[in-house]
Amino acid sequence: MGYAKSLLCSLIIIILICIWHSSFHHPSDNSITNITLLGDAHFLQEGRIGLTSYSSNSVGRAIYKYPIMFRNISSKSSASFTSKFTFTIIPNSIPSPPLFGDGLTFLITSNPNILGNGFGYMGLSNRSNQEEEMYIAVEFDTSFDPSLEDISDNHIGVHINSILSYPTVDLTPMGFDLKNTTRTTAWVDYKKFEKRLEVWLSYNDSRPIRPLLTTYMDFSVYIDELMYVGFSASNGKGGCSSKHLVDKWIFETYPSPFDSSISFHSTEEGSDLADGAGSTLWLLLETLICITIIRKMFVSHDQIVCADQTTSDALTDALVVATKNPTKKVDGKKIKARRDDKPRLPAAAPAPSNCYSEKEAEIIAFRIDQAKRVAEMTTSLSKRTTEHARDKFLGLLEKMPKHP
């Protein structure tokens, strides 16, 4: 009965866990269905986000569709955030040498439906009316446009509601090249208490000790209570075009009550497959834990066992006969037959309880084993020592320990 209850409860637990996994919305969500694509932005087969095509007038945005709380109006406080993403810029190989597009930005915007402009604008808007869009963007610029006050074709900078960036940092003297077509990892952190924004770049997954760009600003002045986060990119004139790809993205705001988290990975990184396998493994692990707990609840550690009453009774009878007459040969079959001749209870009547706990059964087995040894010893003695052996046996019975 205990096993039946544990099995039923285990099945119920499995069903509940499956429902929980299918319905619960984790704050950290890597589903590409939660990414809104604008313009030429698209998903590639391996799950990467392509912000542009090779068209020279291509422009695109990829925005997380749920708003993030960045500012608390009542407490006049704002959020800190950290963003880590991996991107690749691949130029159109038809021109020789290849001409790169404008570049891409990490974007925080108040309006998730505005596409922005190309031809040097990297998908940012050049609207003077901030009621349409407020934004803060960190640019990774691969084009040199003097009209936009670019310092080089290989620089990073910060945009605040303007296509002009300030401050900016030329990466060439620092030995970093955005146009080497290598997968690049960027970190963008803002700490509200210090009002400090920092940007790091690396060709691997290890964050360098020193940031490439550090600036101080109060974000709360330039953002709404709710903002959207994502990426933008564009291509320029004269055949300057690139594919701007985002492979992996992690974004978090803190502290409470601003806690939120976004996670996106392409299958090329191996993460979507790993996340799927991880979810399955977690489901199996949770199920096994629940089944173990249920079994512990319904099946006692000292599991109840029933001793074989017929065997124990036969051994007891054999012991009594051997004690009374040690020289007489005991016929176990006859003893069993005599016991079978005794009247039995009708089938409908409840059977007498002959069940012992595991400890009690162990003690009984020990006593029976000791008695058998003494009985075997008495049958091997001569008649002259029978009485002495019997007395010795009775003495052993008196001194026999109650526990093995």
Side-chain angles (χ1 to χ4, degrees):
M1 187 63 180
Y3 283 103
K5 287 183 179 179
S6 64
L7 179 60
L8 177 60
C9 291
S10 300
L11 291 174
I12 294 173
I13 291 294
I14 292 172
I15 294 172
L16 292 176
I17 290 176
C18 291
I19 294 174
W20 180 80
H21 272 271
S22 62
S23 62
F24 184 76
H25 178 73
H26 295 273
S28 177
D29 194 346
N30 67 345
S31 174
I32 59 176
T33 59
N34 291 327
I35 303 295
T36 299
L37 302 178
L38 301 174
D40 294 325
H42 57 284
F43 293 116
L44 301 178
Q45 186 174 4
E46 63 272 20
R48 304 163 84 184
I49 298 176
L51 295 172
T52 59
S53 65
Y54 279 138
S55 172
S56 61
N57 60 354
S58 179
V59 58
R61 282 190 182 186
I63 304 295
Y64 185 68
K65 70 178 182 181
Y66 297 108
I68 304 296
M69 179 184 287
F70 275 86
R71 187 158 61 94
N72 189 321
I73 296 178
S74 59
S75 64
K76 297 181 180 180
S77 61
S78 60
S80 297
F81 70 82
T82 178
S83 182
K84 175 186 176 182
F85 52 94
T86 302
F87 65 91
T88 309
I89 301 176
I90 305 174
N92 189 345
S93 60
I94 294 178
S96 182
L99 301 176
F100 282 78
D102 300 330
L104 60 87
T105 76
F106 167 68
L107 177 65
I108 302 174
T109 176
S110 61
N111 192 332
N113 300 313
I114 290 181
L115 175 58
N117 304 99
F119 300 108
Y121 285 27
M122 293 175 292
L124 300 178
S125 60
N126 195 30
R127 295 175 173 85
S128 59
N129 185 1
Q130 295 184 6
E131 291 182 358
E132 294 186 13
E133 182 185 26
M134 297 176 63
Y135 67 84
I136 296 173
V138 176
E139 67 171 353
F140 302 86
D141 199 328
T142 55
S143 69
F144 175 66
D145 190 339
S147 66
L148 298 177
E149 300 182 8
D150 286 341
I151 59 174
S152 72
D153 60 355
N154 181 39
H155 68 273
I156 58 177
V158 179
H159 296 259
I160 301 178
N161 298 324
S162 172
I163 192 59
L164 302 180
S165 59
Y166 180 82
T168 58
V169 174
D170 188 358
L171 297 178
T172 303
M174 298 185 176
F176 204 94
D177 188 2
L178 293 172
K179 300 189 295 182
N180 67 356
T181 69
T182 301
R183 181 176 293 170
T184 303
T185 301
W187 293 262
V188 179
D189 286 7
Y190 176 73
K191 295 180 173 62
K192 67 171 185 176
F193 296 110
E194 295 89 350
K195 295 180 173 55
R196 185 174 71 241
L197 177 71
E198 296 176 305
V199 181
W200 294 261
L201 287 172
S202 175
Y203 293 130
N204 54 51
D205 206 43
S206 299
R207 185 198 295 235
I209 297 176
R210 299 184 61 179
L212 295 176
L213 183 150
T214 300
T215 186
Y216 294 86
M217 61 182 66
D218 186 359
F219 266 30
S220 63
V221 178
Y222 307 105
I223 57 177
D224 285 337
E225 182 177 13
L226 298 177
M227 301 286 282
Y228 296 83
V229 293
F231 302 91
S232 69
S234 70
N235 287 327
K237 300 177 182 179
C240 299
S241 62
S242 302
K243 285 186 177 181
H244 302 83
L245 310 176
V246 177
D247 304 302
K248 181 169 64 174
W249 178 33
I250 298 173
F251 177 84
E252 294 180 351
T253 55
Y254 63 94
S256 178
F258 302 103
D259 296 325
S260 66
S261 177
I262 301 170
S263 177
F264 168 82
H265 305 272
S266 69
T267 55
E268 185 171 293
E269 294 280 343
S271 56
D272 278 356
L273 296 176
D275 287 342
S279 299
T280 304
L281 290 175
W282 272 115
L283 177 60
L284 291 175
L285 180 59
E286 291 167 358
T287 303
L288 289 174
I289 292 173
C290 290
I291 290 175
T292 302
I293 294 173
I294 293 298
R295 287 176 65 94
K296 290 290 184 181
M297 290 172 59
F298 287 97
V299 182
S300 172
H301 177 68
D302 293 330
Q303 186 179 3
I304 302 304
V305 295
C306 292
D308 189 341
Q309 192 64 26
T310 302
T311 304
S312 62
D313 287 344
L315 289 172
T316 303
D317 290 340
L319 174 59
V320 171
V321 172
T323 303
K324 292 181 179 179
N325 190 356
T327 60
K328 183 175 180 179
K329 186 177 181 181
V330 178
D331 191 341
K333 292 183 179 180
K334 290 183 179 181
I335 293 174
K336 185 177 183 304
R338 288 199 303 270
R339 294 187 64 84
D340 291 340
D341 291 339
K342 294 179 181 180
R344 299 185 177 183
L345 293 173
S353 177
N354 290 324
C355 295
Y356 303 92
S357 69
E358 186 176 3
K359 192 68 176 178
E360 291 171 339
E362 186 179 356
I363 293 171
I364 291 172
F366 172 78
R367 290 181 175 178
I368 292 172
D369 182 71
Q370 294 293 325
K372 284 175 63 179
R373 293 182 182 180
V374 174
E376 291 173 358
M377 179 187 70
T378 56
T379 56
S380 65
L381 295 175
S382 63
K383 291 182 180 181
R384 290 180 298 177
T385 58
T386 297
E387 292 182 359
H388 175 70
R390 185 167 56 249
D391 293 338
K392 183 176 180 180
F393 168 70
L394 294 174
L396 287 172
L397 287 178
E398 292 295 330
K399 297 178 181 181
M400 186 177 295
K402 295 182 178 180
H403 301 281

